[in-house]
Amino acid sequence: MNSKTRAAQLDDVSKAIIEQLQEDGRRSYAEIGKAVGLSEAAVRQRVQKLTDAGVMQVVAVTDPMQLGFYRQAMIGLRCSGDTRAIADQLASMPSVDYVVLTAGSFDIMAEVVCESDEDLITLLNEQIRKLEGVVSTETFVYLKLHKQLYNWGTR
Amino acid sequence: MNSKTRAAQLDDVSKAIIEQLQEDGRRSYAEIGKAVGLSEAAVRQRVQKLTDAGVMQVVAVTDPMQLGFYRQAMIGLRCSGDTRAIADQLASMPSVDYVVLTAGSFDIMAEVVCESDEDLITLLNEQIRKLEGVVSTETFVYLKLHKQLYNWGTR
DNA sequence: GATAAAACTACGAAATCCACATATTTACTC
DNA sequence: GAGTAAATATGTGGATTTCGTAGTTTTATC
């Protein structure tokens, strides 16, 4: 197993199915079938495959602001040592929803979601900046989220 | 209209419903009802409300890597003038899937999804860096995506 | 062109969704 | 606290969808 890393070569029908579910994750297989020219069972089969392969997943996404998380930020980290170990530790923090190893003047970038400035300060000082190997951090507080898409890959 | 900005005060039941759908966006209303202690119709009604209010949406999300987009990057922009206008223009570019206005040494951060390094270079030079008011950019090429959550808000 | 694997269709049974009528709870006013 | 309106929840029956499975077509390989 583990087709999680590369692989996949989606045909147009599968892409069309994904597009349908990107518009509405609860659309019925029958309706999708009509839209893409396939039987209900075939759509079901393909969705199962795509999901199993990790190509796609159908989930609820929420707006943090509407749920009481009024402070979001991107944090750039400069590190020494193994960045993967640090990334793992960041990833294990509940307030951290996004971690990526990067090339450039930061080694890691992490997005955090906090309820308040207080929480952000605490998170930074008591958790992130205390991690072994974190040399320095730079915080980019979000002023306004302008665009957020979940539909890569089928344009 | 437009409860898109603040508002919302979710009770535990609605949070539980969201959690259910974050695990599986296609879970049946009946099953969710059983899990949260509500009738099927009530769950449906709440989901409809949450969706209409923009608190939550059920969608398919995909793994860009598996769809042939082998190069992702975060781009930090330093700008002069109105950052909102620039953000709008960035947001209108298909390769850009995430745009946020920030405080700090960057005014805007944008995530981009490209098929190749070639595409990234083209995007940067022929589109992003040509925008009026973009003073300088810094590109953080993604080496490894480590964590990506869609389930903020109900922890 | 034979063969095997993969993908698709068809179809009945079970489960789910949906619309609506009714009941209950909540919030507010006096 | 009683009265009232609005919001929220339940129950029900019919329409729709999902699910499993068996059989057919397509695709790939040698």
Side-chain angles (χ1 to χ4, degrees):
Chain A
M1 241 300 259
N2 200 352
S3 53
K4 284 240 165 214
T5 3
R6 182 59 68 98
Q9 170 76 353
L10 303 196
D11 62 15
D12 291 342
V13 177
S14 284
K15 282 186 185 173
I17 292 173
I18 293 175
E19 276 170 25
Q20 292 285 319
L21 289 170
Q22 281 172 340
E23 280 177 28
D24 175 6
R26 292 188 75 84
R27 192 161 291 169
S28 78
Y29 295 131
E31 194 176 343
I32 296 170
K34 241 177 289 174
V36 308
L38 228 57
S39 72
E40 172 268 329
V43 173
R44 184 152 39 92
Q45 202 171 313
R46 283 200 186 222
V47 168
Q48 190 62 52
K49 264 208 154 127
L50 291 169
T51 305
D52 288 346
V55 174
M56 175 196 83
Q57 62 187 127
V58 177
V59 293
V61 296
T62 54
D63 178 356
M65 276 291 183
Q66 296 226 20
L67 294 170
F69 296 91
Y70 296 117
R71 187 54 80 210
Q72 279 186 270
M74 185 68 73
I75 298 174
L77 295 94
R78 281 176 261 270
C79 307
S80 64
D82 192 333
T83 53
R84 292 170 298 182
I86 298 171
D88 281 337
Q89 292 177 82
L90 288 168
S92 72
M93 299 177 185
S95 303
V96 176
D97 69 345
Y98 193 67
V99 179
V100 59
L101 302 188
T102 55
S105 67
F106 296 123
D107 301 300
I108 300 177
M109 303 195 80
E111 189 183 66
V112 301
V113 179
C114 297
E115 299 196 19
S116 65
D117 288 327
E118 262 327 300
D119 287 356
L120 176 56
I121 294 168
T122 306
L123 174 67
L124 256 177
N125 288 295
E126 293 184 12
Q127 298 205 62
I128 295 177
R129 291 170 66 92
K130 277 202 174 154
L131 291 178
E132 171 93 25
V134 172
V135 175
S136 71
T137 67
E138 193 166 345
T139 303
F140 303 92
V141 169
Y142 285 10
L143 300 175
K144 181 171 171 32
L145 189 55
H146 227 265
K147 180 188 192 182
Q148 181 164 38
L149 282 189
Y150 307 106
N151 59 333
W152 329 275
T154 59
R155 50 175 191 265
Chain B
M1 233 296 265
N2 201 351
S3 52
K4 284 238 163 216
T5 2
R6 178 64 64 98
Q9 170 77 349
L10 302 196
D11 61 15
D12 291 343
V13 178
S14 284
K15 283 186 185 172
I17 292 174
I18 293 176
E19 276 169 26
Q20 291 285 319
L21 289 170
Q22 281 172 339
E23 281 177 27
D24 175 6
R26 291 189 75 84
R27 191 162 291 170
S28 77
Y29 295 132
E31 194 176 342
I32 295 171
K34 240 177 292 175
V36 308
L38 227 57
S39 71
E40 172 269 330
V43 173
R44 183 152 40 87
Q45 206 170 312
R46 283 200 185 222
V47 169
Q48 189 62 51
K49 264 212 154 124
L50 292 169
T51 305
D52 289 346
V55 175
M56 174 197 83
Q57 62 187 127
V58 178
V59 294
V61 297
T62 53
D63 178 356
M65 276 293 182
Q66 296 226 19
L67 293 169
F69 296 92
Y70 295 118
R71 186 54 81 207
Q72 278 186 273
M74 185 68 74
I75 297 173
L77 295 93
R78 280 177 261 269
C79 307
S80 64
D82 192 332
T83 54
R84 292 170 298 183
I86 297 171
D88 280 338
Q89 292 176 82
L90 287 169
S92 72
M93 300 177 185
S95 302
V96 176
D97 68 345
Y98 192 68
V99 179
V100 60
L101 303 188
T102 55
S105 67
F106 296 123
D107 301 300
I108 298 176
M109 303 195 78
E111 190 182 67
V112 301
V113 180
C114 297
E115 299 196 19
S116 65
D117 288 328
E118 264 324 302
D119 288 354
L120 176 56
I121 294 168
T122 306
L123 174 68
L124 255 178
N125 287 295
E126 294 183 13
Q127 298 206 61
I128 294 177
R129 292 171 66 92
K130 276 201 175 154
L131 291 179
E132 172 91 24
V134 172
V135 175
S136 70
T137 67
E138 191 165 345
T139 303
F140 303 92
V141 168
Y142 285 11
L143 300 175
K144 179 167 171 36
L145 189 54
H146 226 264
K147 179 188 192 182
Q148 180 163 39
L149 283 190
Y150 308 104
N151 60 332
W152 331 274
T154 59
R155 53 173 187 267

